[in-house]
Structure formats: C-alpha cells, structure tokens
Amino acid sequence: MSEPTNAYAAAGVDIEAGDRAVELMKAHVARTRRPEVLGGLGGFAGFFDASAFTRFEHPVLATSTDGVGTKVAIAQAMDRHDTIGFDLIGMLVDDLVVVGAEPLFVTDYIATGKVVPERIAAIVSGIAAACEVAGAALLGGETAEHPGLLEPDEYDIAGATTGVVERAAILGPERVRPGDVVIGLASSGLHSNGYSLVRHVLLDQAGWSLDRDVPELGATLGETLLTPTRVYARDILALIEAAPVHSISHITGGGLANNLVRVLPAGVRATLRRASWTPAPIFSLVQGLGGVSQADIEATLNMGVGMALVVPAASVDALMTEATARGLSPWLLGEITAQEAAEAPAVVELVGQHR
C-alpha cells in the first residue's frame, strides 16, 4: 500500500500553506530592499554586497539578536498581527544603533503551530514596515510549523540584525566623563519588555479584559498593550551626526538604571531626576493594581524612557533641538559626576518623585 503524497500534511505540516505565505509576504519584503542587497527571496541564504564598506576606513560589524517575548500573547488574543513586527525590529536595531552602528539588514524567524498564510503575511508586513523605518533590509527569514509543540493559533517570533560602524566612532563607556549630561527620549509605551508582569497584574490579578475601555488610557486595555515599540535607529544616527554623543542606552528589560549602568565607566555616578518626566498612565496602572514597589517597577519597565543619551554638556542644545525636530520628546534627565573612588563600579541613582 503506497504512502499518501500528503503524509507531511497529515502529520500537521502544510508545505503548500508555507509557500502561499511566502508569496503573500514578497511585496512587503521588497519595500525594504537596499542597493546592497543581491537576489531575492527563496534562496538558502541572503546576500549583502560588502563592497559598500569601502566608504569606511576601518569598518566594524555589529550584530544583535532578540525576540518579542510574551507581548505576542496580546497580539494573538486580539487577533491583530501587523504591529508586533515593530516590537521585534525595535529590540534588534536599537541595540545596534546605541553603539553608533547603522543597521544594514535583518533576518527573522517565525515558529507557529499552524501556518495560516494571511497571519504570517501580516506579521511579516509589520516587520517589513519597521525595517523601512529603520532603513534596514529584510534580507530573509524562516517560517517553521511546529504542530504538537505550539497550538494552531500560537506563534513566536525572533530575529537577528547586522550593522556597521567606523571603529573610531564606536560609542561606549570609555567616552563618558564627569560633567556629562543625560538626555532622555520618550518611549511609545511599554515597548516589548515586562509583559509577564503586566499580563499577570492586569489580566490575572485584576481580571481585566483586553476590550475593557480604560478612561485614563484613552483607549481599550488591549490597544494600549499592543502599542508598537518605537524604532529609533534613524533618529539616533541623525542625533549622532548633529553633535558629539558619548554613550547611549536602549532602555529594555531591566529598566532604566540597569540598562544605563551598562554604558558607564567605573568611577562615575549618574543621578537621574524622576521629577523631570511623567510616565504614561499605563505604568502607574500596573504599579497601583499590582501593588508593585517603586524599586520593582523601575527594575522591570522602561517607565516612559526609551533611550538615554550620555552627552557632553556642549552638545545639549544642538541635540535637544534636533531631537525635538524629530518628534522624540527629549528632556534633561540627569547628570554624570565623579565618585570618590575612581575604581568604584558605576552607579545609577534615581532621586525624587515623578511629576
């Protein structure tokens, strides 16, 4: 007795659905194309012409990989999949740009219990749209069907990105000096971190539904939780061109203090003033309903700060002007001072109360 020709499909993997998904996503991917990209979708590897690096004296490649985390559960519950790509790309390219690197290309990976071509295409449309904002090419990716491991409506997404920076222009802790100023750039909301806490507090403990209208948020709970991560890459590169910058921190999982300290050298203290900004209502809502301490909430969520730039005082006016013109809502967040012991580990201290 012969084996059925669709044995793989009988096992739960639909190759034809995967092929349809590729066809649906091609137009989205094409919009991200850069001149250095060679070929198109469908090969075993993507190609990027490295001869473009001849414009650098000493090109250094930078790379980053990440996912979206449990925010995908919100997209799945709301059956809206065209924004989650911004969360993925934001987590990827904005980790590159803080060292001064220009994001060049991205590859993605989507694992799902069942390939629904329209859903996969919607996910990729968001990834591609975010790549356009970042100026990076979506060079390729993979969609994997995992029946039995994931439920049919479940999926997870991850990706990797590569960028390039002139070696002499790499930003980092070694540039930071006492007397530097810290500039904050507003986040668009929760971004893509801390959703395990947020979901536990709002959905499990408080028992709120995603379609609940929340007056203080000016939207439903689900709409607020699904707000896409802001993609800063092109804006940050423009700021670096506008005036000298010493180091930049992308405020992701772990919160403001834990991320800023990563771009500070030993022997300095960053003092950040909570009164210099007002976090969006979603942050106080999570904190209040969950009875979360100030220390815990600040160690988990970005609290309204998407990026923190450590800059020489002479750069402040030019950077504030450029950031304002680009709609980044900048403010003076704090300052860098010397510690008594020059070899002491860097410290970030938040003082005062939010407005």
Side-chain angles (χ1 to χ4, degrees):
M1 191 171 181
S2 62
E3 289 290 326
T5 57
N6 62 345
Y8 207 10
V13 178
D14 189 342
I15 295 175
E16 291 183 0
D19 291 340
R20 292 197 303 273
V22 171
E23 288 301 315
L24 290 174
M25 70 178 70
K26 279 184 176 179
H28 302 301
V29 175
R31 291 199 298 271
T32 74
R33 190 179 182 91
R34 291 174 53 125
E36 304 95 335
V37 174
L38 305 178
L41 289 182
F44 286 99
F47 295 97
F48 192 92
D49 188 353
S51 67
F53 299 161
T54 56
R55 61 188 170 97
F56 295 88
E57 290 185 12
H58 189 157
V60 175
L61 295 180
T63 186
S64 174
T65 186
D66 210 339
V68 172
T70 62
K71 189 171 182 175
V72 296
I74 305 298
Q76 291 161 21
M78 295 183 66
D79 196 23
R80 181 174 180 187
H81 314 286
D82 61 344
T83 65
I84 202 73
F86 276 82
D87 301 291
L88 178 63
I89 299 306
M91 294 302 104
L92 293 174
V93 301
D94 289 336
D95 275 359
L96 282 189
V97 77
V98 297
V99 301
E102 174 192 356
L104 299 174
F105 56 83
V106 170
T107 55
D108 65 55
Y109 180 84
I110 304 172
T112 183
K114 178 178 175 58
V115 170
V116 178
E118 292 76 14
R119 184 168 62 210
I120 298 300
I123 296 169
V124 173
S125 74
I127 294 172
C131 283
E132 287 186 86
V133 171
L138 182 52
L139 198 57
E142 173 73 8
T143 300
E145 200 165 28
H146 292 166
L149 183 63
L150 295 169
E151 293 298 321
D153 291 336
E154 289 182 338
Y155 62 82
D156 197 11
I157 62 175
T161 186
T162 298
V164 64
V165 59
E166 189 72 66
R167 182 170 182 174
I170 295 174
L171 305 181
E174 63 281 356
R175 294 175 177 255
V176 175
R177 299 288 183 270
D180 282 352
V181 175
V182 184
I183 295 176
L185 302 181
S187 69
S188 58
L190 294 166
H191 283 183
S192 185
N193 303 105
Y195 272 75
S196 293
L197 172 65
V198 171
R199 291 166 55 245
H200 175 66
V201 168
L202 299 181
L203 305 183
D204 298 336
Q205 288 186 336
W208 287 12
S209 64
L210 292 173
D211 61 0
R212 180 187 179 115
D213 188 57
V214 185
E216 55 262 56
L217 299 179
T220 67
L221 179 62
E223 288 168 342
T224 300
L225 297 186
L226 207 57
T227 300
T229 297
R230 176 154 195 165
V231 177
Y232 297 89
R234 273 183 167 153
D235 295 320
I236 294 296
L237 292 174
L239 292 179
I240 293 170
E241 285 294 316
V245 174
H246 285 163
S247 70
I248 307 175
S249 178
H250 184 199
I251 312 305
T252 57
L256 176 55
N258 291 330
N259 280 288
L260 182 58
V261 78
R262 297 165 63 184
V263 298
L264 299 178
V268 304
R269 173 182 295 271
T271 302
L272 309 180
R273 297 180 300 279
R274 293 190 185 97
S276 65
W277 87 101
T278 303
I282 186 62
F283 297 102
S284 57
L285 197 65
V286 173
Q287 185 175 8
L289 288 174
V292 183
S293 70
Q294 189 70 26
D296 279 350
I297 203 78
E298 289 179 341
T300 307
L301 306 180
N302 68 57
M303 299 304 290
V305 186
M307 289 275 184
L309 284 65
V310 183
V311 308
S315 294
V316 169
D317 288 346
L319 290 173
M320 291 288 285
T321 297
E322 179 69 18
T324 299
R326 301 185 74 86
L328 295 173
S329 302
W331 72 95
L332 300 181
L333 179 56
E335 57 278 327
I336 307 295
T337 56
Q339 296 198 75
E340 290 186 8
E343 71 280 2
V347 173
V348 177
E349 180 183 21
L350 280 85
V351 299
Q353 302 297 321
H354 290 297
R355 292 180 294 172

